[in-house]
C-alpha cells in the first residue's frame, strides 16, 4: 500500500479505537488545531472568533492579523453545518488568495465525527475523521485528514494529528496538539498549538489563549505549520435559537407536567416552579430544558443530581417530611424548594 494511505489507515484505526462520547462544544474539550469532533448543542447557532497574529522582525515589527470566523448551526440530529471565513490566509499563495472560505458539515456518531467540506480558496474537497476519549481529567484527540487539492495544487494531501487536554479545574484546561502533513515539502512544518482554555464562569462562553505555528482555522490551515510562531485567542459565542423558537411547545408541556405537581422544569436559567409541595414518598422529576447542563443540589448537601444534560430528566424520591431547599451548583442563583408533607 502507498505510504500516505497506509499512514492514514493507521490514523483512522487509532481514531476509531479512541472513540467515546463527544462532549458539547467547548474549548475546554479541544485543542487549538483539532476540532475535537464537536457538533454543539441542538438548535444552537455558534459564532466563534479565532484571532491569530504574528510580528515581523525588527525594525518594522509589523503585526499581521489572521482572523478566522466560524458560523455554524447544529441540526436536531448530531450534524453541524458551518462556514469558516479567514483573511490574511496563506493556504493558497500562488496566486495569492488572502480570503479563504470553507463550508463544511460534521456528523458525530459513536463518539467520533466525520467532517466533509469544501475549501473555496484551494478549490478542494476536504475531509476529516476525528475522535476523542476522556480518561479522568485528560482528553485525548486524534484526527486524520484528506485534502483533495492541498494548498491550491492538484495534489491530494493527507494529514494526521493528535492532541490532549488536561482539565485542571472546572473552568480551566491546558491543551496541546501536533498535526503533520504526510510527505512534508520544504517549508512545511509539523503544525502545533498550545493553549490555556478557559470557561467564562456562569456563561456559555469559552475563551482560549494560544500559541501556534498555524494560520487559519480551516482544515488546510490547521494541517500545516510555518516557520513563524503566532499568538492568538479564540472566543466562542453560542446563540440558543431553540430557546426562542421552541418556547410555545415546551411551555405547554411544562404546564401539563406542572398539573401533576411532581415536575420541575429548568428553563432560562431558573427552576419552574421554584416551590413544589408533595406528600412523603413522592418522586419529583427535574427536566433540563436549557441548552447547557444544570444540577439539582440540596443546600444541605444531602442529595445531588450531578450534571443534568440538556434535555435530560433527573428524579429523586422524598421519603421524609420537611423542607428541602436546593440550587444549581454552576448557577447558584438558580434556587428552589421542595416541601414534603
Ligand atoms: Cu444551572
Amino acid at each position: 500500500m502507498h505510504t500516505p494511505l497506509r499512514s492514514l489507515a493507521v490514523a483512522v484505526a487509532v481514531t476509531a479505537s479512541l472513540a467515546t462520547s463527544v462532549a458539547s462544544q467547548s474549548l475546554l474539550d479541544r485543542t487549538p488545531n483539532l476540532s475535537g469532533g464537536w457538533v454543539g448543542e441542538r438548535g444552537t447557532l455558534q459564532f466563534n472568533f479565532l484571532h491569530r497574529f504574528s510580528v515581523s522582525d525588527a525594525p518594522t515589527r509589523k503585526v499581521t492579523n489572521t482572523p478566522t470566523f466560524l458560523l455554524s448551526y447544529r441540526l436536531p440530529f448530531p450534524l453541524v453545518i458551518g462556514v469558516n471565513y479567514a483573511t490574511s490566509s496563506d493556504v493558497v499563495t500562488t496566486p495569492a488568495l488572502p480570503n479563504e472560505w470553507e463550508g463544511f458539515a460534521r456528523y458525530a456518531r459513536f463518539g467520533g465525527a466525520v467532517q466533509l467540506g469544501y475549501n473555496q480558496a484551494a478549490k478542494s474537497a476536504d475531509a476529516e475523521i476525528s475522535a476523542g476519549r476522556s480518561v479522568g481529567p485528560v482528553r485525548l484527540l486524534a484526527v486524520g485528514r484528506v485534502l483533495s487539492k492541498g494548498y491550491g495544487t492538484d495534489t491530494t494531501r493527507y494529514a494526521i494529528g493528535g492532541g490532549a487536554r488536561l482539565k485542571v479545574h472546572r473552568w480551566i484546561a491546558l491543551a496541546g496538539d501536533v498535526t503533520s502533513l504526510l510527505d512534508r515539502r520544504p517549508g512545511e512544518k509539523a503544525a502545533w498549538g498550545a493553549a490555556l482554555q478557559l470557561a467564562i464562569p456562569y456563561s456559555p462562553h469559552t475563551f482560549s489563549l494560544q500559541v501556534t505555528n498555524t494560520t487559519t482555522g480551516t482544515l488546510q490551515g490547521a494541517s500545516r505549520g510555518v516557520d513563524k510562531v503566532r499568538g492568538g485567542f479564540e472566543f466562542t459565542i453560542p446563540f440558543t435559537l431553540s430557546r426562542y423558537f421552541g418556547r410555545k411547545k415546551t411551555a405547554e408541556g411544562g404546564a401539563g407536567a406542572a398539573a401533576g405537581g411532581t415536575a420541575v422544569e429548568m428553563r432560562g436559567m431558573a427552576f419552574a416552579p421554584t416551590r413544589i409541595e408533595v406528600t412523603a414518598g413522592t418522586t419529583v422529576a427535574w427536566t433540563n430544558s436549557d441548552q447547557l447542563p444544570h444540577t439539582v443540589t440540596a443546600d444541605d448537601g444531602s442529595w445531588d443530581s450531578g450534571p443534568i444534560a440538556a434535555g435530560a430528566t433527573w428524579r429523586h424520591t422524598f421519603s421524609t417530611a420537611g423542607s428541602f431547599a436546593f440550587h444549581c451548583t454552576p448557577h447558584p442563583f438558580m434556587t428552589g424548594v421542595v416541601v414534603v408533607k
Side-chain angles (χ1 to χ4, degrees):
M1 205 195 307
H2 189 51
T3 306
L5 284 177
R6 188 187 301 149
S7 304
L8 194 71
V10 170
V12 168
V14 168
T15 301
S17 71
L18 282 171
T20 56
S21 76
V22 174
S24 65
Q25 179 172 1
S26 160
L27 290 170
L28 264 63
D29 294 320
R30 43 175 286 223
T31 66
N33 293 304
L34 306 180
S35 72
W38 63 260
V39 290
E41 302 284 359
R42 247 187 318 174
T44 299
L45 187 69
Q46 187 79 23
F47 177 71
N48 291 359
F49 177 49
L50 169 65
H51 186 89
R52 286 174 178 156
F53 61 91
S54 59
V55 183
S56 73
D57 293 336
T60 53
R61 300 192 192 284
K62 177 178 159 53
V63 174
T64 303
N65 298 300
T66 313
T68 303
F69 302 91
L70 166 79
L71 191 64
S72 70
Y73 183 72
R74 159 73 197 272
L75 295 165
F77 38 96
L79 178 78
V80 64
I81 50 173
V83 60
N84 277 304
Y85 168 69
T87 60
S88 303
S89 167
D90 67 354
V91 158
V92 179
T93 51
T94 44
L97 295 174
N99 298 320
E100 184 188 358
W101 289 90
E102 178 188 53
F104 69 89
R106 183 185 298 135
Y107 181 70
R109 193 80 195 271
F110 306 125
V114 174
Q115 173 176 333
L116 296 172
Y118 182 77
N119 188 305
Q120 156 274 338
K123 294 186 172 60
S124 174
D126 297 343
E128 179 188 73
I129 179 167
S130 65
R133 163 165 284 190
S134 294
V135 185
V138 176
R139 182 168 159 81
L140 300 171
L141 305 173
V143 297
R145 294 171 181 157
V146 181
L147 316 172
S148 71
K149 290 187 175 181
Y151 308 97
T153 66
D154 269 334
T155 315
T156 301
R157 304 296 301 274
Y158 305 86
I160 55 172
R165 78 97 163 88
L166 172 67
K167 211 165 183 175
V168 294
H169 179 271
R170 186 150 47 105
W171 296 325
I172 306 167
L174 302 171
D177 58 46
V178 177
T179 306
S180 180
L181 290 161
L182 306 182
D183 299 332
R184 283 204 307 268
R185 313 267 163 83
E188 292 180 341
K189 308 267 182 191
W192 59 264
L196 176 65
Q197 313 286 49
L198 304 166
I200 298 176
Y202 310 120
S203 86
H205 307 293
T206 53
F207 187 78
S208 173
L209 281 169
Q210 53 187 244
V211 287
T212 180
N213 67 345
T214 62
T215 52
T216 64
T218 60
L219 285 188
Q220 300 221 7
S223 298
R224 182 174 71 174
V226 295
D227 204 1
K228 179 155 284 206
V229 176
R230 286 178 171 79
F233 64 83
E234 182 164 8
F235 187 54
T236 65
I237 309 164
F239 297 93
T240 309
L241 296 187
S242 59
R243 180 181 295 179
Y244 310 108
F245 296 122
R247 185 151 214 130
K248 187 162 179 259
K249 190 172 152 202
T250 318
E252 284 164 2
T262 59
V264 180
E265 192 181 17
M266 292 172 269
R267 169 170 284 274
M269 308 289 271
F271 292 106
T274 54
R275 179 190 169 89
I276 188 166
E277 291 189 11
V278 299
T279 53
T282 301
T283 298
V284 177
W286 281 267
T287 298
N288 183 0
S289 301
D290 273 336
Q291 299 296 320
L292 70 177
H294 293 300
T295 75
V296 182
T297 307
D299 286 0
D300 65 6
S302 58
W303 41 270
D304 185 1
S305 66
I308 303 169
T313 297
W314 180 76
R315 292 178 176 82
H316 183 71
T317 301
F318 293 87
S319 49
T320 56
S323 182
F324 302 93
F326 60 87
H327 64 277
C328 168
T329 305
H331 315 114
F333 51 87
M334 293 174 62
T335 60
V337 64
V338 179
V339 178
V340 184
K341 293 182 172 170

